[in-house]
Structures are given as structure tokens and as C-alpha cells.
Amino acid sequence: MSTTLTLEEKKDLIRMAIAARKFAYAPYSDFKVGAALLAKNGKIYTGCNVENASFTPTSCAERTALFKAVSEGVTEFTDIAIVGAKTGEINEQITSPCGVCRQALFEFGGKNLNVIMAKTEDDFIEEDLDTLLPYGFGPSNVAGNSAIK
Ligand code: THU
């Protein structure tokens, strides 16, 4: 784990993800997800899943949080907390980020982003993004693109 967060700081991030989950718009799956993404500058961006009658436009909680941050000029992150469950309380299962979100996060968080997957603030696991997306394809692979740092 490459995070420098204290246990209390991790719990705070999980609490923010739990709060964000309350806004989940998930009338089709009834699977509600919340995420809280911590930027290197200390700011936290929250997100929930936002579904759509046409299904494809659905945004996962993680990407909602990520795009909120990037759209405000914040592109460097250290940790993300994720909570999700089909109905009711969240304490029954761990929700790990889907493949699309792993790829989206890899673009900005890189290998060392710490992913906290929580049932509750007292019950969670965490992994580096590198573990969840081994051999990830990212900006450094796209040689010759001047937009890439
Ligand atoms: N979902 C997320 O928001 N994050 C994940 O990591 C997994 C899936 C959402 C997408 C969809 O609205 C619902 O959960 C069921 O797949």
C-alpha cells in the first residue's frame, strides 16, 4: 500500500463515499455506489453512479468523482474510497471498481493510487491500482502525443 493516510483519514474518506452514495441514481440496477477521491492537493471529490434509461450513458461513482475533479483542473490523486451495494445497507459486500473505472483512474492516479474498498468505515480492504490493473496502459505508453506530460 503506497498510501500515507492514517486510519482516521481513511475512515473520513469512507464516510464521504457513504454520504455520496445517498445521491446514487440507480433506478435500473438498484445498485447504489458512492466514491470519494482524494487529490494530492488535499481536496476530496465525491461521486455516485448516475444511470440512464438508455443504459450506455451510465456513469459509475468513481468516474463521476474523477470527472468532477479533472473538470476543475485537478488531475493528481492519492486515494479513493468506494462503497456499494444492491439495496439498503452497504455492509454486506465489497465493491471493487469496474474495468472501465480502473482504466479511467489509471490515466490520472497511476500505479500508486490507493483503492479503498469498504463495507463500513471499520471494515475495508485496500490495494494499489497496479494490483487491480496490472500492466495498465497509460499516458506513458502513448509516445509522441504532446498532450501527455
Ligand atoms: N457501478 C459503480 O458505480 N461503480 C463500480 O465500481 C461498479 C458498478 C455502478 C454502475 C451501475 O449503475 C451499477 O453500479 C450496477 O452495475
Side-chain angles (χ1 to χ4, degrees), residues 26 29 31 33 49-51 58-62 82 95-98 101:
S29 72
F31 191 90
V33 186
N49 53 331
V50 183
E51 296 187 344
T58 293
S59 177
C60 289
E62 299 90 322
I82 304 161
T95 294
S96 73
C98 78
C101 287

